Amino acid sequence: MNRKIAERAQCTHSPKDDREGRRRNRQSCVFPVQSSSRVQCRQNNLSETRRVLKELLTWPELEATLKATMTLLPGGYHRPRDCESPKRLAIIIPFRDREENLKVLLNNLHRVLQKQQAEYAIFVVEQETGTPFNRGLIKNIGYVEASALCHFDCFTFHDVDLVTESEKNTYWCGPRAVHHARKLDIWNYRQLQDKLFGGVLTFNETFFSTINGYSNLFFMWGAEDDDLFDRMLAKHLPFEISKYSRYTTLGHARLPKEEEKKWAVYRPGKNRYDSDGLSNMGGIYRLISVDYRPLYTRIYVSVNHTDVMARIKGYGIKV
Ligand code: UDP
Ligand code: MN
């Protein structure tokens, strides 16, 4: 195991020390990113369809079947052994209380990404219990905290309950944002309406910071994806739909949606694209811990609910 990672895996540094260290040197990374190969990785032999693995395994079984000790470094980082990958990908999964979904997703995602010869790390960003789940904020936190640990070229925001059905559905980023999860099994793979822009999305770093990330103001009411779509349009930034956009959905309990609150926050959205998002992360969350687990890096955070509510009120929105 790489020494730097081994030290970090058992380190006693606070996450804040880690972040400050990383910020000092943009090239430095908690993962060993230098490649010894000059051969470019290629996406050969990818099949258009694949069997989604749905077996429920224990964590040790999962680590064994994925050969984690050979293919991954702690934190769920992988670099192809015999070739140089053109981009480094951060996969960010917003998460709370969906462990079964997470295990199934990881079992599929690691296999697909490795078949694609991607260099990547998987981040599971978990919100502490006690406050309502805030998906947009959690994804923004994933972007900020992953970037503080290492430089990534591409960011994929990946719901925990969606599994790709094609190895050709790659997660590299270009100038356009990519919407991957467009045709879902539960909708008989019908192409969803244009504006639906959730589930699995890839951005390059500049793209995501230009739109100022997600709004931080939506709790589990939904519509933060609609708001993100509007942000892209407002900046005239292009997007595309993955050619291989079929996904299998994993079951979970449903949270009640609060339609009125959702629209109350969504409607005046365009007034705050530049003041609500990545530019305003101060005080809105606290990093509890960063854990380099065998299959993923767990970023555990507490969301300052009072602060979010005060911001909503500050925009004159009544919820
Ligand atoms: N999520 C989670 N725990 C929750 C709520 C949401 O982990 O209690 C994450 C998870 O990644 C999930 C995503 O947020 O896939 C979207 O939420 P959900 O699946 O509930 O929304 P849907 O799109 O199914 O309405
Ligand atoms: Mn879901």
Side-chain angles (χ1 to χ4, degrees):
M1 191 200 298
N2 173 286
R3 191 170 53 84
K4 203 162 151 199
I5 282 281
E7 280 166 7
R8 270 190 198 282
Q10 43 185 274
C11 78
T12 51
H13 297 175
S14 76
K16 190 157 166 275
D17 293 341
D18 277 355
R19 278 184 298 163
E20 277 162 11
R22 303 279 75 76
R23 278 190 192 115
R24 254 178 263 127
N25 180 356
R26 199 177 135 85
Q27 294 311 311
S28 73
C29 180
V30 289
F31 307 111
V33 293
Q34 286 80 18
S35 170
S36 53
S37 175
R38 287 176 188 275
V39 182
Q40 282 270 316
C41 293
R42 298 197 183 283
Q43 286 66 61
N44 291 336
N45 305 322
L46 298 180
S47 68
E48 190 162 334
T49 56
R50 60 179 294 275
R51 189 171 72 85
V52 171
L53 303 172
K54 291 189 180 165
E55 290 85 340
L56 264 187
L57 304 174
T58 62
W59 285 106
E61 284 166 349
L62 194 52
E63 287 156 24
T65 180
L66 290 171
K67 302 188 177 65
T69 51
M70 279 153 64
T71 61
L72 297 168
L73 287 172
Y77 167 79
H78 173 82
R79 197 185 63 209
R81 200 182 320 170
D82 304 320
C83 62
E84 163 101 45
S85 186
K87 307 232 163 135
R88 193 177 309 130
L89 324 181
I91 312 290
I92 294 170
I93 305 173
F95 181 78
R96 177 154 83 187
D97 197 21
R98 302 253 175 107
E99 190 173 311
E100 291 191 354
N101 285 179
L102 181 62
K103 286 197 275 192
V104 172
L105 174 62
L106 291 172
N107 195 13
N108 287 275
L109 200 50
H110 277 299
R111 289 171 200 274
V112 169
L113 288 164
Q114 288 174 26
K115 187 85 191 290
Q116 294 170 348
Q117 296 204 310
E119 178 183 350
Y120 67 90
I122 296 185
F123 298 90
V124 174
V125 190
E126 182 171 342
Q127 183 178 330
E128 192 188 35
T129 48
T131 51
F133 198 70
N134 184 327
R135 224 160 32 184
L137 173 55
I138 287 294
K139 292 182 194 180
N140 284 346
I141 296 171
Y143 172 86
V144 170
E145 296 298 337
S147 304
L149 297 174
C150 189
H151 175 260
F152 291 96
D153 304 291
C154 308
F155 294 83
T156 296
F157 297 97
H158 203 306
D159 277 6
V160 78
D161 57 358
L162 291 168
V163 181
T164 183
E165 295 184 11
S166 175
E167 290 177 358
K168 291 195 173 182
N169 177 37
T170 54
Y171 293 95
W172 274 275
C173 56
R176 299 163 193 269
V178 184
H179 187 213
H180 299 272
R182 199 66 166 195
K183 297 181 177 171
L184 310 186
D185 56 348
I186 46 164
W187 303 113
N188 289 322
Y189 303 106
R190 265 181 291 118
Q191 180 102 351
L192 300 173
Q193 69 184 64
D194 270 2
K195 219 188 146 183
L196 271 183
F197 213 64
V200 184
L201 288 162
T202 295
F203 303 93
N204 74 48
E205 190 190 11
T206 318
F207 192 117
F208 194 65
S209 60
T210 303
I211 59 174
N212 199 19
Y214 282 89
S215 165
N216 293 319
L217 306 186
F218 293 90
F219 287 103
M220 261 322 274
W221 310 323
E224 83 287 350
D225 335 345
D226 302 306
D227 182 86
L228 183 101
F229 189 78
D230 298 344
R231 286 172 182 236
M232 289 193 324
L233 294 189
K235 300 276 181 193
H236 306 288
L237 289 172
F239 74 94
E240 65 191 30
I241 296 166
S242 168
K243 272 197 255 170
Y244 307 99
S245 61
R246 287 178 169 240
Y247 275 75
T248 293
T249 19
L250 308 174
H252 59 75
R254 297 247 147 232
L255 297 171
K257 299 252 149 131
E258 296 187 75
E259 292 293 317
E260 258 173 56
K261 292 183 179 178
K262 163 168 124 181
W263 297 119
V265 177
Y266 174 73
R267 242 179 271 115
K270 65 174 175 301
N271 304 325
R272 47 168 210 266
Y273 294 154
D274 294 326
S275 61
D276 162 31
L278 294 174
S279 59
N280 292 72
M281 301 293 285
I284 202 167
Y285 75 100
R286 184 171 61 83
L287 184 62
I288 301 171
S289 60
V290 176
D291 228 354
Y292 299 93
R293 295 188 174 174
L295 302 181
Y296 62 91
T297 299
R298 180 198 192 221
I299 295 178
Y300 188 42
V301 297
S302 127
V303 162
N304 185 341
H305 185 249
T306 317
D307 188 78
V308 180
M309 294 312 284
R311 290 177 190 216
I312 293 174
K313 214 168 155 196
Y315 284 108
I317 303 165
K318 291 203 178 71
V319 292

